Amino acid sequence: MARVAGVSKTTVSHVLSGRRPVSDATRAKVNRVIEELSFQQNFFATGLTGQRTKTIALVVQDLTNPFYPALARGLQQAVAEQGYVVLLADVGTGVPPVEAFLNEAVQRRVDGVVVAAVDVSENQLEPLRAAGISVVTVGDPHHRTSTDVISSDDEQIAEDAVRYLYNQGHRRFGVVSGPTHTAPGAPRLHGYRNALRARDLPALKAAEQVGDWTRESGTKAMTALMDQAGRPTAVLCANDLMAIGALDAARALGLAVPGDVAVVGVDDIDAASLVSPALTTVRVPAQDIGLVAGEQLLARISNPAGPARRVLVQHSLVVRESA
């Protein structure tokens, strides 16, 4: 390409990497030759020379949850303009798949990793840092101080939902939390408890059920809550999939929503407005979170030094028919 374009190999390299200034005329000439020769850059070979591979890994726990495709869309939107591609890993709930993919990310010499709602310890992230790979996490179960974190204000989300239900006249509450060792499971449960105590209402253990973010677990948890004496008149579910499962359970039990029991979810996935009754929920803008995570990761790749950042993405209550 350098010979055909009449420039140095170094100039071609600068055009390809975008890391050094090149005049517009020279860049246009090199790009024209690239197109004429149908050149395809070998990013793996580029990585071996110590340059960027223009790849980013996104690690999620359950791709069937509509929240994560929306997050991935935002991430892709943020990084595509800089020529990056996103490798996606759905690692489920087990530790071995998480570690296996993080090891593969090191072997593939990715430039950065976004870890979304997966319980990954600092020790598991250390091989990435040792390899010079930038890391951004979505949610923070470990209260990290050395990693950039993008999240919603999960405690406040639960508090806002309880406040709304309280103002609707409810005094007997139940909750279907996510796994309590994860973010956002733990902080949303804490926010729920804090909101009850602030209103002098008991945070009863019997009124707390733990789900695994799936619709099926929401159905099971709601059935258990409704099988109690003095059952709740309002149930907060820590995500929309579990809330939709709770609606399924209420329907199967012959309970009217919101007449017999009100249900509120979190996320505002597309299905929230399609179920019957339409789900009242707290909107957490997944695509915006992915966009901010991508922008922060690009900034960290360009400048690895500097203190870790913590960015909160705003949420909002969306009132529909279920509460």
Side-chain angles (χ1 to χ4, degrees):
M1 285 191 296
R3 178 175 54 80
V4 174
V7 299
S8 69
K9 293 180 182 180
T10 299
T11 297
V12 173
S13 177
H14 289 169
V15 171
L16 290 173
S17 69
R19 298 175 68 181
R20 295 289 188 276
V22 178
S23 71
D24 291 343
T26 299
R27 184 180 300 280
K29 181 164 56 174
V30 172
N31 284 332
R32 186 167 57 251
V33 171
I34 288 173
E35 184 176 350
E36 291 172 354
L37 297 180
S38 301
F39 172 76
Q40 295 291 326
Q41 188 172 6
N42 185 328
F43 288 106
F44 182 73
T46 300
L48 292 177
T49 67
Q51 300 182 43
R52 296 171 186 161
T53 60
K54 291 289 186 177
T55 55
I56 286 171
L58 170 62
V59 186
V60 302
Q61 194 159 21
D62 181 9
L63 195 55
T64 65
N65 184 332
F67 183 87
Y68 296 111
L71 186 150
R73 188 181 305 120
L75 175 63
Q76 178 68 29
Q77 178 184 343
V79 303
E81 293 181 358
Q82 301 299 320
Y84 283 85
V85 297
V86 178
L87 305 178
L88 178 62
D90 182 350
V91 297
T93 58
V95 172
V98 173
E99 293 186 342
F101 183 78
L102 294 180
N103 289 336
E104 183 150 338
V106 173
Q107 294 171 10
R108 289 179 178 270
R109 304 178 69 87
V110 303
D111 296 325
V113 174
V114 174
V115 180
V118 178
D119 186 20
V120 178
S121 69
E122 288 296 309
N123 287 339
Q124 288 172 303
L125 293 178
E126 189 54 39
L128 299 177
R129 296 194 181 96
I133 297 172
S134 299
V135 180
V136 169
T137 64
V138 175
D140 183 17
H142 297 284
H143 305 288
R144 309 177 201 274
T145 58
S146 58
T147 305
D148 295 318
V149 177
I150 314 299
S151 73
S152 52
D153 189 340
D154 292 304
E155 288 199 18
Q156 191 62 51
I157 281 172
E159 291 184 17
D160 290 350
V162 170
R163 180 189 304 110
Y164 168 76
L165 291 167
Y166 184 88
N167 289 340
Q168 295 294 107
H170 294 282
R171 298 297 182 268
R172 297 200 310 272
F173 287 82
V175 65
V176 181
S177 78
T180 55
H181 64 283
T182 68
R188 289 180 186 173
L189 180 57
H190 292 159
Y192 162 83
R193 291 171 176 170
N194 291 340
L196 292 188
R197 292 182 183 121
R199 291 162 178 80
D200 294 323
L201 297 174
L204 302 175
K205 287 291 185 181
E208 296 179 359
Q209 294 289 321
V210 179
D212 63 4
W213 305 118
T214 64
R215 182 173 183 170
E216 293 76 16
S217 72
T219 299
K220 181 178 179 181
M222 184 68 160
T223 301
L225 287 173
M226 295 298 102
D227 194 36
Q228 300 175 11
R231 65 192 182 195
T233 65
V235 175
L236 169 62
C237 298
N239 80 340
D240 285 346
L241 283 182
M242 293 192 297
I244 292 171
L247 295 179
D248 295 338
R251 187 179 303 110
L253 293 168
L255 299 173
V257 179
D260 295 321
V261 59
V263 177
V264 173
V266 178
D267 283 342
D268 196 26
I269 62 176
D270 288 343
S273 63
L274 302 177
V275 295
S276 182
L279 185 65
T280 293
T281 185
V282 181
R283 182 175 185 268
V284 179
Q287 188 165 337
D288 291 351
I289 289 176
L291 183 66
V292 174
E295 291 171 346
Q296 181 55 35
L297 187 61
L298 292 179
R300 185 59 64 190
I301 290 170
S302 297
N303 181 20
R309 291 190 64 206
R310 181 175 296 269
V311 181
L312 290 180
V313 177
Q314 293 300 308
H315 61 271
S316 57
L317 182 69
V318 180
V319 178
R320 296 193 179 101
E321 299 169 352
S322 68

